[in-house]
Amino acid sequence: GAVVSQHPSWVICKSGTSVKIECRSLDFQATTMFWYRQFPKQSLMLMATSNEGSKATYEQGVEKDKFLINHASLTLSTLTVTSAHPEDSSFYICSASGGGNNSPLHFGNGTRLTVT
Amino acid sequence: GQQVMQIPQYQHVQEGEDFTTYCNSSTTLSNIQWYKQRPGGHPVFLIQLVKSGEVKKQKRLTFQFGEAKKNSSLHITATQTTDVGTYFCAGRNAGKSTFGDGTTLTVKP
């Protein structure tokens, strides 16, 4: 149980284009989803908290106009990297929680984004 | 804001030796969770500790939560090559999880 599907697993795009990453909870309802960025051999950096039906809460230093988050249903959140640049190349991971402070986080497999 | 420090950053052991990683939070936590990330993979949930002073075991893994709910440790007894990976703690408070920097464990057969 508690499976989170993230798609695509990898994507290569040209500078200036936009990329959408999907995060789905397959067998539970995720009231809250989190988006992280992970650089090689580093920890997970929380980018934003996505709550179903409301605006995402972005962490300090994360541009909300560049990283658009939509959480329109209890099973789907999307992250769109707009006007991507090479410095946006990274590993993006989502996690979903069933709700409550004591609910564990279930992670997607991550998306390796390369911007050329 | 909340900060979670994790040490050591790297640990290289001989197979059969023990391993311990420590987490310390700048604030009192609601709970702490531990995750393992294999090279090239995504973090996988291991366990959650909620109560002050709580100790939980999973086979060769022992997890502890401090009395003040600000620190935690993960101890692996008699490491095996399958234990390799990066172990992250995540301190949870006010609905937000803050991850430590992780401890990367390598095991020499």
Side-chain angles (χ1 to χ4, degrees), chain A residues 3-63:
Chain A
V3 176
V4 174
S5 173
Q6 187 172 340
H7 178 81
S9 57
W10 60 271
V11 58
I12 301 173
C13 70
K14 291 185 177 181
S15 187
T17 61
S18 295
V19 175
K20 180 185 283 188
I21 302 170
E22 293 187 348
C23 182
R24 294 180 184 273
S25 58
L26 298 185
D27 52 359
F28 68 102
Q29 293 183 330
T31 54
T32 307
M33 289 185 173
F34 303 90
W35 287 95
Y36 303 84
R37 187 171 177 175
Q38 187 176 35
F39 293 99
K41 299 184 178 180
Q42 293 190 22
S43 187
L44 292 89
M45 183 192 78
L46 179 65
M47 298 174 65
T49 301
S50 171
N51 295 298
E52 186 268 338
S54 63
K55 291 183 179 180
T57 304
Y58 289 81
E59 295 300 303
Q60 191 172 9
V62 178
E63 300 176 56

Side-chain angles (χ1 to χ4, degrees), chain A residues 38 43 101-103 105 108-109, chain B residues 30-31 37 42 48 92 95 100:
Chain A
Q38 187 176 35
S43 187
N101 213 26
N102 289 338
S103 297
L105 299 172
N109 288 337
Chain B
S30 301
N31 62 61
Q37 184 175 22
H42 64 281
Q48 174 175 275
R92 197 82 174 264

